Amino acid sequence: MTSGPARAGQRIIIAGAGVVGLATAWELIRRGHEVTVLEKEAGVAAHQTGNNSGVIHSGLYYTPGSMKARLAVAGAESMKRFAAEHGVAVHTTGKLVVATSEAQLGRLHELHRRGTLNGVPCRLVSPEEAREYEPHVSCVAALRVESTGIVDYKGVCAVLARMIGEAGGDIRFGTAVTGIRAEAAHTVVETDNGQWRGDGFVNCGGLHSDRIARLAGIRPGVRIIPFRGEYYELAPEQEHLVKGLIYPVPDPAFPFLGVHLTRMTGGGVHAGPNALFAFAREGYTWLTVNPRDVLDSATWPGLWKLGAKFWKVGISETARSLSRRRFLAGLRQLVPELPDESLVPTHAGVRAQAMHRDGTLVDDFLFERAPRQMHVLNAPSPAATAALEIGRIIADEALVTVR
Ligand SMILES: Cc1cc2nc3c(=O)[nH]c(=O)nc-3n(C[C@H](O)[C@H](O)[C@H](O)COP(=O)(O)OP(=O)(O)OC[C@H]3O[C@@H](n4cnc5c(N)ncnc54)[C@H](O)[C@@H]3O)c2cc1C
């Protein structure tokens, strides 16, 4: 590697047509580079991006100074602007994080402190004021965040893919990366559908990103552990009980935000997601089991350490997954009026969460660089919110590796 400005007209190959891969591709094209995106599925946003909550996060939750905090705050703005400019459904709804017991007040105040440090417009409100935003909510106090929004991420990906194609970029669907070889001046990417040679390679493979890194000879110190999140929809007669977004106070020991109620851009209200260990990286139901994926998780020492620490949470999440009544009971802490027949099962998503060997979950976004390569090894929530900003950072870094 040598230093100096990147030359224009580099050929960069990207694995993955989720929102991170597409945002990166678009950013590279805008800077005058040639891009090929290789995607194993038949279309864009087939995994995490197309099965998420559709929320534009404000940046409230994240450690001040972290990439997540900085890129979520900036990304919320750029994502809203991008969607509005390109006719993708987007609304700035605001949200309420509600403390349902006195015991949660300390954590609610800590969220307020973090949000303020991160520059997020948020303020503590009384139960009466909370009910002005959400008339059916029950709480002892709440945090009102103005900048949270909702967007159609599949729509964002469709627009990015169209713009990439119109600008001369190449997106190859049905093309799985199976090997990566470094040559003196190139990176050669093998697929089940031919071979590509580029000046650089970017791995945006989401649930498979650690494996793709291993194909390139990298030994990442983390492994992707898949966590399924199941959703229900509120029955149409109950939708009026939720105006915008209602979230619980999250458990800081756990990286997920807790089951929440979210109004969607296409209409309707989603409830979820829970967080369950998945028996396949693309395991959208309990019945989907992939022996290789199970082995990969089970042979990672960290999983057992995490399991020993969080077995009670695991049992309670499993019980909630198997019993609609329990799922509803959790939601009723937020909105007590939800009646018995409120929930209709809908899709699930699987989160790609990187884990260290010692069982700690990687908190921030994580990138690994190699000559002529850049690997995105942890891009969980709020990476969809932050995708356009992540794309800029990856483009900077990817181009540094090909100087
Ligand atoms: C249940 C759930 C709820 C979430 N809610 C939110 C939210 O509300 N707001 C938010 O900001 N974030 C949310 N997230 C996180 C967000 O969806 C992800 O951070 C983001 O979508 C990651 O995008 P990605 O492009 O990295 O991954 P993905 O969207 O998973 O894309 C990776 C792509 O790589 C492809 N691929 C993998 N291996 C190969 C290979 N060998 N060859 C070729 N292609 C390959 C896959 O097919 C896939 O299309 C949520 C995630 C989940 C799962």
Side-chain angles (χ1 to χ4, degrees):
M1 256 200 298
T2 58
S3 60
R7 286 170 287 126
Q10 303 282 343
R11 274 169 302 151
I12 310 289
I13 299 165
I14 297 174
V19 70
V20 174
L22 293 171
T24 305
W26 175 238
E27 183 61 26
L28 285 162
I29 284 187
R30 276 178 4 104
R31 298 183 193 191
H33 302 284
E34 275 176 49
V35 173
T36 302
V37 181
L38 305 175
E39 167 56 56
K40 69 183 173 64
E41 304 294 347
V44 297
H47 291 292
Q48 295 178 91
T49 304
N51 292 303
N52 69 18
S53 297
V55 175
I56 299 184
H57 287 295
S58 59
L60 181 68
Y61 300 99
Y62 318 112
T63 309
S66 63
M67 270 194 286
K68 272 189 177 175
R70 285 186 287 112
L71 302 184
V73 172
E77 285 314 304
S78 51
M79 184 56 73
K80 284 180 201 167
R81 211 169 34 244
F82 181 91
E85 276 173 19
H86 294 95
V88 177
V90 60
H91 306 289
T92 302
T93 50
K95 86 169 173 183
L96 277 184
V97 182
V98 300
T100 54
S101 71
E102 301 282 329
Q104 295 174 357
L105 285 177
R107 284 191 265 143
L108 191 73
H109 287 136
E110 171 56 17
L111 264 191
H112 180 226
R113 189 189 71 84
R114 275 194 177 197
T116 307
L117 283 174
N118 290 342
V120 176
C122 58
R123 63 196 177 86
L124 292 162
V125 296
S126 65
E128 295 69 35
E129 210 178 337
R131 278 191 286 275
E132 286 173 20
Y133 294 107
E134 292 288 350
H136 303 280
V137 85
S138 163
C139 63
V140 296
L143 189 60
R144 173 69 187 172
V145 188
E146 295 302 338
S147 53
T148 307
I150 51 175
V151 70
D152 169 12
Y153 284 116
K154 283 188 194 167
V156 167
C157 288
V159 168
L160 283 168
R162 177 174 49 74
M163 293 189 339
I164 290 165
E166 285 170 1
D170 189 12
I171 305 183
R172 297 294 176 104
F173 293 114
T175 303
V177 172
T178 54
I180 298 153
R181 205 172 65 242
E183 288 184 346
H186 293 103
T187 302
V188 178
V189 181
E190 311 278 356
T191 76
D192 57 0
N193 199 14
Q195 188 191 74
W196 275 263
R197 183 182 297 260
D199 298 303
F201 171 73
V202 184
N203 164 8
C204 299
L207 286 152
H208 300 278
S209 55
D210 57 341
R211 285 183 181 154
I212 295 176
R214 288 207 294 276
L215 289 177
I218 288 170
R219 292 281 163 266
V222 298
R223 184 151 301 175
I224 295 292
I225 304 293
F227 287 97
R228 187 171 68 255
E230 298 160 331
Y231 291 91
Y232 285 91
E233 261 171 18
L234 287 197
E237 321 70 82
Q238 315 309 336
E239 284 174 10
H240 70 281
L241 295 173
V242 179
K243 301 259 168 282
L245 276 60
I246 307 175
Y247 278 62
V249 177
D251 180 345
F254 214 54
F256 310 121
L257 300 181
V259 166
H260 43 85
L261 290 153
T262 314
R263 195 156 270 282
M264 307 298 286
T265 51
V269 175
H270 274 184
N274 52 8
L276 300 152
F277 173 74
F279 294 102
R281 292 193 182 201
E282 294 167 8
Y284 294 98
T285 68
W286 276 110
L287 298 179
T288 320
V289 178
N290 178 315
R292 180 186 174 198
D293 293 348
V294 174
L295 199 68
D296 251 10
S297 294
T299 53
W300 191 245
L303 183 72
W304 299 100
K305 292 183 180 151
L306 185 90
K309 200 166 153 197
F310 286 114
W311 62 272
K312 275 190 189 158
V313 180
I315 289 174
S316 122
E317 285 295 90
T318 303
R320 180 154 66 169
S321 165
L322 298 175
S323 155
R324 198 177 305 188
R325 202 173 44 79
R326 273 180 181 257
F327 206 102
L328 185 60
L331 294 170
R332 276 185 179 149
Q333 292 186 2
L334 310 175
V335 178
E337 286 169 55
L338 284 168
D340 280 350
E341 302 303 321
S342 310
L343 300 181
V344 182
T346 180
H347 70 100
V350 183
R351 306 168 182 88
Q353 174 61 53
M355 182 189 278
H356 293 290
R357 264 179 192 285
D358 66 2
T360 51
L361 300 175
V362 179
D363 191 36
D364 212 350
F365 300 140
L366 178 68
F367 307 124
E368 182 145 344
R369 296 126 184 116
R372 301 188 174 278
Q373 291 173 30
M374 170 86 185
H375 298 268
V376 180
L377 292 177
N378 197 48
S381 184
T385 301
L388 297 166
E389 304 302 319
I390 295 176
R392 285 188 242 283
I393 289 189
I394 299 175
D396 289 343
E397 301 265 346
L399 293 173
V400 165
T401 72
V402 298
R403 274 175 194 162

